[in-house]
Amino acid sequence: MDIAPINAQIAQAVERLKAMSPAAGAAGAGQAQGTDFVSSLHSALAAVSKSQNEATELQHQFQLGNQGVSLEETMIAMNKASLSFSAAVQVRNKLAQAYDQIMQMPV
């Protein structure tokens, strides 16, 4: 599964929030001290993508009859990838929900 669309949606939402923030200068100072939220999210989504690619490769190797790949190992990798993808979707949904709530706040 490709997570690029989810990553793009999250990045767009974060960029819109950054643009609306009156303290954009203060946020830039905070980024120098710690990690950027967008880059943290990007790295987390890259890890999800990597686990899905590894699970797909294990599944492919098992189907080809590779003796070094067991069914248990393949199923565990597939379940881990599924759980991490579900978590990423939940994070995306919560971010979208938070963005909607912020947009509905009276000014």
Side-chain angles (χ1 to χ4, degrees), residues 28-65:
Q31 289 175 2
Q33 296 173 354
T35 58
D36 184 17
F37 178 72
V38 175
S39 63
S40 297
L41 243 139
H42 186 331
S43 65
L45 291 173
V48 169
S49 179
K50 181 181 176 188
S51 72
Q52 287 185 334
N53 291 338
E54 289 172 356
T56 301
E57 181 60 29
L58 281 174
Q59 181 182 14
H60 182 69
Q61 290 298 319
F62 181 76
Q63 289 173 345
L64 290 175

Side-chain angles (χ1 to χ4, degrees), residues 3 6 44-53 55 77-91:
I3 61 163
I6 295 173
L45 291 173
V48 169
S49 179
K50 181 181 176 188
S51 72
Q52 287 185 334
N53 291 338
M78 289 173 60
N79 284 330
K80 283 182 180 180
S82 176
L83 283 172
S84 64
F85 182 75
S86 295
V89 170
Q90 289 297 322
V91 168

